[in-house]
Amino acid sequence: MGKDTVIHYVEIDKSDASVYDEIEMKVRVKEIYEVNGNGMDGITFQKKKVSPYTKDFTENANYKRWKRQFDLENWNFFVAFDGNRPVGGSVLCSHSSELNMLEGREDLGVLWDIRVDSGYKHCGVGQRLFQLVKDRAENLGLIQLKIECQNNNVPAVDFYFKQGAHIGAVNRYAYYGDKDAADEVQFLLYVNLFPGIHN
């Protein structure tokens, strides 16, 4: 991304959001948040270096798949474009009783997805896409955003903490049946959208 590059951000029509699938979703893992402790003494988190590897979610987390699995009526898709090229995207879900992630709440939204092309990371694209989701959630009258993240996506976890997120739950066995992710720990993060409202 050049210094003169101008990125345009738009909400795209959810009935044909296939352009979203042109955006890669790769995570370069160099360290993890190691989770220690059990029981009433609490748990601790510590960054730990690991042998570097890349996780590619592009084929498994995409609009084509979501359209087959879910009713997208209450989903909002935002895309960042460099010219005609999509380079980042984010998705907000709310008011969808079929989504367990929403916990049956009408005042909760889920940041279902956020992704930025590798060549556009650390340039503010993710920050803007997050803000678009947050603004829409507030306009919908939601009071919290919920975000699922894994302990091996340290940059994302740190990014969400900077946005004011806090950990609501840690699940060491969320991906137990997935051979490619069995060792990963699920973090459920929450962002309070309105100061003074705590759920």
Side-chain angles (χ1 to χ4, degrees):
M1 178 173 161
K3 66 177 184 174
D4 296 326
T5 302
V6 177
I7 304 297
H8 300 281
Y9 299 84
V10 297
E11 182 171 1
I12 58 175
D13 189 338
K14 60 182 147 272
S15 66
D16 185 19
S18 56
V19 68
Y20 198 90
D21 292 350
E22 297 177 30
I23 310 161
E24 70 172 39
M25 187 179 187
K26 294 181 180 177
V27 175
R28 184 69 176 156
V29 180
K30 299 178 183 177
E31 59 184 349
I32 65 170
Y33 270 111
E34 188 174 56
V35 180
N36 298 300
N38 290 298
M40 299 303 287
D41 291 331
I43 57 176
T44 60
F45 306 90
Q46 183 174 357
K47 287 184 181 178
K48 175 185 174 184
K49 298 286 186 186
V50 296
S51 297
Y53 63 95
T54 299
K55 286 203 73 170
D56 189 344
F57 296 91
T58 311
E59 291 299 316
N60 294 319
N62 55 60
Y63 169 76
K64 182 189 291 186
R65 189 171 199 176
W66 299 329
K67 190 175 182 182
R68 286 195 312 264
Q69 291 179 311
F70 304 109
D71 176 0
L72 304 183
E73 181 180 352
N74 294 310
W75 292 40
N76 301 95
F77 289 81
F78 303 93
V79 176
F81 287 94
D82 181 356
N84 292 323
R85 180 185 173 202
V87 298
S90 57
V91 180
L92 169 67
C93 304
S94 65
H95 303 97
S96 299
S97 59
E98 65 180 338
L99 293 180
N100 292 334
M101 281 281 285
L102 287 170
E103 306 170 20
R105 290 173 52 187
E106 292 293 313
D107 61 358
L108 177 67
V110 172
L111 176 62
W112 187 263
D113 186 73
I114 187 166
R115 61 184 66 190
V116 177
D117 182 278
S118 297
Y120 292 78
K121 290 184 177 179
H122 310 293
C123 299
V125 175
Q127 175 69 55
R128 181 71 187 276
L129 289 165
F130 181 87
Q131 190 64 47
L132 288 169
V133 165
K134 187 177 175 186
D135 290 347
R136 176 51 58 89
E138 290 175 354
N139 289 338
L140 290 170
L142 306 178
I143 66 170
Q144 278 188 323
L145 270 181
K146 182 179 181 180
I147 307 159
E148 177 182 3
C149 205
Q150 294 75 38
N151 69 317
N152 62 347
N153 195 349
V154 170
V157 174
D158 289 349
F159 170 80
Y160 295 132
F161 285 156
K162 287 179 183 175
Q163 311 314 310
H166 60 274
I167 292 181
V170 175
N171 188 342
R172 289 177 167 150
Y173 306 108
Y175 313 111
Y176 197 68
D178 183 344
K179 62 181 177 64
D180 295 323
D183 294 332
E184 296 176 14
V185 178
Q186 179 193 65
F187 294 158
L188 293 178
L189 309 173
Y190 292 80
V191 175
N192 293 324
L193 299 175
F194 296 98
I197 297 178
H198 303 286
N199 284 13

